[in-house]
Amino acid sequence: MSDPDRPGPLAGLLVADFSRVLAGPYCTMLLADLGADVIKVESPAGDDTRSWVPPITEDGVSTYFLAINRNKRSVALDLKNERDLALAKTLARRADVFVQNFKPGGLARYGLDFDSVSAGNPGIIYASISGFGSGGGKDLPGYDLMVQAMSGLMSLTGSPDGPPYRAGISAFDVIAGLHTTIAILAALNHRNATGMGQHLEASLMASAMSGMVNQTSAYAAAGVVPFRMGNSHPSLFPYEPLPTGDGDLIVTAGNDAQFRKLCEVIGAPELADDPMFSSNPGRTANRDKLRPLLAEKLKARSAAEWFDLLIAAGVPCGPINTVDKGVEFAQKIGLDPIVIAGTGDRTRPGIRHPVGFSATPASYPLAPPELDEHGDEIRAWLEGPA
């Protein structure tokens, strides 16, 4: 099944992808971008995100599904069907990596759990992704919004006097997908050295605990319970939007030298010498006094004018863009964010793999598949000799 001419550092690696929605498919797409042969196993109804609309493309395809499923082959298998289940088990025996995000224990009844798969394929790297792990939280549904709420993230998001908010993306699905990708690569390196496969267990909740970094550390290391601060940072100031003559500008003067440059550019050098503001602890403690002083100076020019002046002086800052403007800016600075996956009349635009490789770059030979698009060839291969 693998394309012998497919480039990439993971070329020749066979991934059996039994995941759906976001965390698992994002993980396997990253592997596929780097050359892995990913076989996406879908139910006859297809991945849930095929129907998560709007938005849709002009020909009616979910942009959500397209975001995380390029470079894969799709086969529809009904695990309740004896023949299809036999094919699924054959795929598991031949695979290098098995990724699934069924509820913990959900694949055991089909003989596709780690113990069953590894019995016939001891070198398998078997990655399980769930919402809350396989222990006391195994029966909880694994939705990102639940984890954002229950981890504490929503308590940190929004205005201090307003309601909690979810992040604008499914942040912990994405982080869990990234963590799983890292774990798979680490396990593959271990297998290369020892020949041994292993079971990897990732969860959105565990990824939340790690991904909330300084906020969870505040509690773990100091017993401090963080609170909602809007766009302010608990440990730095200025590190938030500040009003200018025509709109807000993000200003992130993260150290004393940058703050001094900020003050010089806006025409208030005396602020950098004020004992209340000369060091970051003082600025943070006295932010309510400092903020209006900075705003008064910043209203003299537009956000675009201040951006040019402050960046030239070495003060980190930036406009608050809409997504289209963000993509345009990434293009302007040479990141070439949009790539075309597929060839001929089967192409789709998408966002470039996030990491550049000097010797083995990502490639995009396959557009996100239609449901069971490669079913015939995959079933024929599974029914034939190994």
Side-chain angles (χ1 to χ4, degrees), residues 127-146:
S128 299
I129 307 173
S130 64
F132 297 89
S134 60
K138 65 182 177 61
D139 294 324
L140 292 172
Y143 286 90
D144 182 272
L145 182 56
M146 289 176 60

PDB file of all heavy atoms in Angstrom, residues 127-146:
ATOM      1  N   ALA A 127      -1.687   3.971  20.295  1.00  0.00           N
ATOM      2  CA  ALA A 127      -1.973   5.233  20.976  1.00  0.00           C
ATOM      3  C   ALA A 127      -3.467   5.376  21.217  1.00  0.00           C
ATOM      4  O   ALA A 127      -4.260   5.336  20.279  1.00  0.00           O
ATOM      5  CB  ALA A 127      -1.459   6.410  20.155  1.00  0.00           C
ATOM      6  N   SER A 128      -3.829   5.524  22.482  1.00  0.00           N
ATOM      7  CA  SER A 128      -5.219   5.741  22.873  1.00  0.00           C
ATOM      8  C   SER A 128      -5.381   7.181  23.348  1.00  0.00           C
ATOM      9  O   SER A 128      -4.616   7.652  24.193  1.00  0.00           O
ATOM     10  CB  SER A 128      -5.616   4.804  24.018  1.00  0.00           C
ATOM     11  OG  SER A 128      -5.494   3.447  23.641  1.00  0.00           O
ATOM     12  N   ILE A 129      -6.384   7.866  22.819  1.00  0.00           N
ATOM     13  CA  ILE A 129      -6.677   9.241  23.225  1.00  0.00           C
ATOM     14  C   ILE A 129      -8.090   9.274  23.789  1.00  0.00           C
ATOM     15  O   ILE A 129      -9.024   8.775  23.169  1.00  0.00           O
ATOM     16  CB  ILE A 129      -6.572  10.215  22.032  1.00  0.00           C
ATOM     17  CG1 ILE A 129      -5.221  10.087  21.324  1.00  0.00           C
ATOM     18  CG2 ILE A 129      -6.801  11.648  22.487  1.00  0.00           C
ATOM     19  CD1 ILE A 129      -5.118  10.891  20.033  1.00  0.00           C
ATOM     20  N   SER A 130      -8.232   9.856  24.961  1.00  0.00           N
ATOM     21  CA  SER A 130      -9.557   9.977  25.572  1.00  0.00           C
ATOM     22  C   SER A 130      -9.686  11.350  26.210  1.00  0.00           C
ATOM     23  O   SER A 130      -8.737  12.148  26.227  1.00  0.00           O
ATOM     24  CB  SER A 130      -9.765   8.883  26.624  1.00  0.00           C
ATOM     25  OG  SER A 130      -8.851   9.046  27.696  1.00  0.00           O
ATOM     26  N   GLY A 131     -10.852  11.611  26.748  1.00  0.00           N
ATOM     27  CA  GLY A 131     -11.059  12.886  27.401  1.00  0.00           C
ATOM     28  C   GLY A 131     -10.412  12.970  28.765  1.00  0.00           C
ATOM     29  O   GLY A 131      -9.751  13.953  29.110  1.00  0.00           O
ATOM     30  N   PHE A 132     -10.584  11.907  29.564  1.00  0.00           N
ATOM     31  CA  PHE A 132     -10.179  11.971  30.964  1.00  0.00           C
ATOM     32  C   PHE A 132      -9.374  10.758  31.415  1.00  0.00           C
ATOM     33  O   PHE A 132      -9.241  10.511  32.617  1.00  0.00           O
ATOM     34  CB  PHE A 132     -11.425  12.122  31.846  1.00  0.00           C
ATOM     35  CG  PHE A 132     -12.178  13.405  31.599  1.00  0.00           C
ATOM     36  CD1 PHE A 132     -13.174  13.466  30.634  1.00  0.00           C
ATOM     37  CD2 PHE A 132     -11.869  14.551  32.299  1.00  0.00           C
ATOM     38  CE1 PHE A 132     -13.873  14.649  30.395  1.00  0.00           C
ATOM     39  CE2 PHE A 132     -12.549  15.745  32.069  1.00  0.00           C
ATOM     40  CZ  PHE A 132     -13.561  15.794  31.115  1.00  0.00           C
ATOM     41  N   GLY A 133      -8.834   9.984  30.488  1.00  0.00           N
ATOM     42  CA  GLY A 133      -7.991   8.856  30.846  1.00  0.00           C
ATOM     43  C   GLY A 133      -8.790   7.586  31.089  1.00  0.00           C
ATOM     44  O   GLY A 133     -10.025   7.572  31.032  1.00  0.00           O
ATOM     45  N   SER A 134      -8.078   6.511  31.367  1.00  0.00           N
ATOM     46  CA  SER A 134      -8.703   5.197  31.513  1.00  0.00           C
ATOM     47  C   SER A 134      -8.932   4.805  32.967  1.00  0.00           C
ATOM     48  O   SER A 134      -9.302   3.678  33.259  1.00  0.00           O
ATOM     49  CB  SER A 134      -7.837   4.126  30.839  1.00  0.00           C
ATOM     50  OG  SER A 134      -6.538   4.087  31.431  1.00  0.00           O
ATOM     51  N   GLY A 135      -8.727   5.746  33.892  1.00  0.00           N
ATOM     52  CA  GLY A 135      -8.950   5.464  35.307  1.00  0.00           C
ATOM     53  C   GLY A 135     -10.334   5.901  35.742  1.00  0.00           C
ATOM     54  O   GLY A 135     -11.354   5.518  35.153  1.00  0.00           O
ATOM     55  N   GLY A 136     -10.380   6.753  36.756  1.00  0.00           N
ATOM     56  CA  GLY A 136     -11.659   7.181  37.301  1.00  0.00           C
ATOM     57  C   GLY A 136     -12.509   8.005  36.361  1.00  0.00           C
ATOM     58  O   GLY A 136     -13.719   8.131  36.559  1.00  0.00           O
ATOM     59  N   GLY A 137     -11.894   8.567  35.312  1.00  0.00           N
ATOM     60  CA  GLY A 137     -12.657   9.384  34.362  1.00  0.00           C
ATOM     61  C   GLY A 137     -13.020   8.664  33.081  1.00  0.00           C
ATOM     62  O   GLY A 137     -13.476   9.286  32.122  1.00  0.00           O
ATOM     63  N   LYS A 138     -12.855   7.339  33.060  1.00  0.00           N
ATOM     64  CA  LYS A 138     -13.011   6.603  31.802  1.00  0.00           C
ATOM     65  C   LYS A 138     -14.424   6.668  31.235  1.00  0.00           C
ATOM     66  O   LYS A 138     -14.613   6.520  30.022  1.00  0.00           O
ATOM     67  CB  LYS A 138     -12.604   5.138  31.998  1.00  0.00           C
ATOM     68  CG  LYS A 138     -13.471   4.338  32.957  1.00  0.00           C
ATOM     69  CD  LYS A 138     -12.944   2.910  33.107  1.00  0.00           C
ATOM     70  CE  LYS A 138     -13.735   2.110  34.120  1.00  0.00           C
ATOM     71  NZ  LYS A 138     -15.152   1.965  33.761  1.00  0.00           N
ATOM     72  N   ASP A 139     -15.423   6.873  32.078  1.00  0.00           N
ATOM     73  CA  ASP A 139     -16.803   6.886  31.584  1.00  0.00           C
ATOM     74  C   ASP A 139     -17.295   8.278  31.212  1.00  0.00           C
ATOM     75  O   ASP A 139     -18.432   8.432  30.758  1.00  0.00           O
ATOM     76  CB  ASP A 139     -17.741   6.280  32.645  1.00  0.00           C
ATOM     77  CG  ASP A 139     -17.478   4.800  32.866  1.00  0.00           C
ATOM     78  OD1 ASP A 139     -17.151   4.106  31.876  1.00  0.00           O
ATOM     79  OD2 ASP A 139     -17.587   4.342  34.022  1.00  0.00           O
ATOM     80  N   LEU A 140     -16.456   9.286  31.388  1.00  0.00           N
ATOM     81  CA  LEU A 140     -16.858  10.640  31.020  1.00  0.00           C
ATOM     82  C   LEU A 140     -16.679  10.857  29.523  1.00  0.00           C
ATOM     83  O   LEU A 140     -15.656  10.454  28.953  1.00  0.00           O
ATOM     84  CB  LEU A 140     -16.012  11.667  31.778  1.00  0.00           C
ATOM     85  CG  LEU A 140     -16.229  11.753  33.289  1.00  0.00           C
ATOM     86  CD1 LEU A 140     -15.174  12.661  33.913  1.00  0.00           C
ATOM     87  CD2 LEU A 140     -17.626  12.271  33.591  1.00  0.00           C
ATOM     88  N   PRO A 141     -17.617  11.496  28.854  1.00  0.00           N
ATOM     89  CA  PRO A 141     -17.443  11.815  27.431  1.00  0.00           C
ATOM     90  C   PRO A 141     -16.250  12.748  27.252  1.00  0.00           C
ATOM     91  O   PRO A 141     -15.964  13.580  28.119  1.00  0.00           O
ATOM     92  CB  PRO A 141     -18.758  12.513  27.059  1.00  0.00           C
ATOM     93  CG  PRO A 141     -19.732  12.107  28.117  1.00  0.00           C
ATOM     94  CD  PRO A 141     -18.931  11.916  29.366  1.00  0.00           C
ATOM     95  N   GLY A 142     -15.564  12.610  26.133  1.00  0.00           N
ATOM     96  CA  GLY A 142     -14.309  13.337  25.945  1.00  0.00           C
ATOM     97  C   GLY A 142     -14.419  14.551  25.060  1.00  0.00           C
ATOM     98  O   GLY A 142     -13.730  14.640  24.042  1.00  0.00           O
ATOM     99  N   TYR A 143     -15.243  15.504  25.418  1.00  0.00           N
ATOM    100  CA  TYR A 143     -15.401  16.705  24.598  1.00  0.00           C
ATOM    101  C   TYR A 143     -14.505  17.825  25.112  1.00  0.00           C
ATOM    102  O   TYR A 143     -14.401  18.071  26.319  1.00  0.00           O
ATOM    103  CB  TYR A 143     -16.863  17.163  24.595  1.00  0.00           C
ATOM    104  CG  TYR A 143     -17.748  16.276  23.747  1.00  0.00           C
ATOM    105  CD1 TYR A 143     -18.390  15.177  24.299  1.00  0.00           C
ATOM    106  CD2 TYR A 143     -17.916  16.523  22.388  1.00  0.00           C
ATOM    107  CE1 TYR A 143     -19.191  14.345  23.529  1.00  0.00           C
ATOM    108  CE2 TYR A 143     -18.718  15.701  21.605  1.00  0.00           C
ATOM    109  CZ  TYR A 143     -19.350  14.618  22.182  1.00  0.00           C
ATOM    110  OH  TYR A 143     -20.135  13.794  21.410  1.00  0.00           O
ATOM    111  N   ASP A 144     -13.881  18.538  24.177  1.00  0.00           N
ATOM    112  CA  ASP A 144     -12.948  19.603  24.525  1.00  0.00           C
ATOM    113  C   ASP A 144     -13.592  20.644  25.436  1.00  0.00           C
ATOM    114  O   ASP A 144     -12.973  21.108  26.399  1.00  0.00           O
ATOM    115  CB  ASP A 144     -12.425  20.268  23.254  1.00  0.00           C
ATOM    116  CG  ASP A 144     -11.417  21.365  23.536  1.00  0.00           C
ATOM    117  OD1 ASP A 144     -11.847  22.529  23.728  1.00  0.00           O
ATOM    118  OD2 ASP A 144     -10.216  21.074  23.576  1.00  0.00           O
ATOM    119  N   LEU A 145     -14.827  21.034  25.150  1.00  0.00           N
ATOM    120  CA  LEU A 145     -15.485  22.053  25.960  1.00  0.00           C
ATOM    121  C   LEU A 145     -15.627  21.604  27.407  1.00  0.00           C
ATOM    122  O   LEU A 145     -15.465  22.408  28.338  1.00  0.00           O
ATOM    123  CB  LEU A 145     -16.850  22.408  25.368  1.00  0.00           C
ATOM    124  CG  LEU A 145     -17.633  23.502  26.096  1.00  0.00           C
ATOM    125  CD1 LEU A 145     -16.819  24.785  26.198  1.00  0.00           C
ATOM    126  CD2 LEU A 145     -18.962  23.763  25.391  1.00  0.00           C
ATOM    127  N   MET A 146     -15.920  20.331  27.611  1.00  0.00           N
ATOM    128  CA  MET A 146     -15.979  19.805  28.981  1.00  0.00           C
ATOM    129  C   MET A 146     -14.633  19.966  29.679  1.00  0.00           C
ATOM    130  O   MET A 146     -14.566  20.371  30.847  1.00  0.00           O
ATOM    131  CB  MET A 146     -16.373  18.327  28.972  1.00  0.00           C
ATOM    132  CG  MET A 146     -17.804  18.030  28.595  1.00  0.00           C
ATOM    133  SD  MET A 146     -18.110  16.241  28.517  1.00  0.00           S
ATOM    134  CE  MET A 146     -17.728  15.751  30.221  1.00  0.00           C
TER     135      MET A 146
END
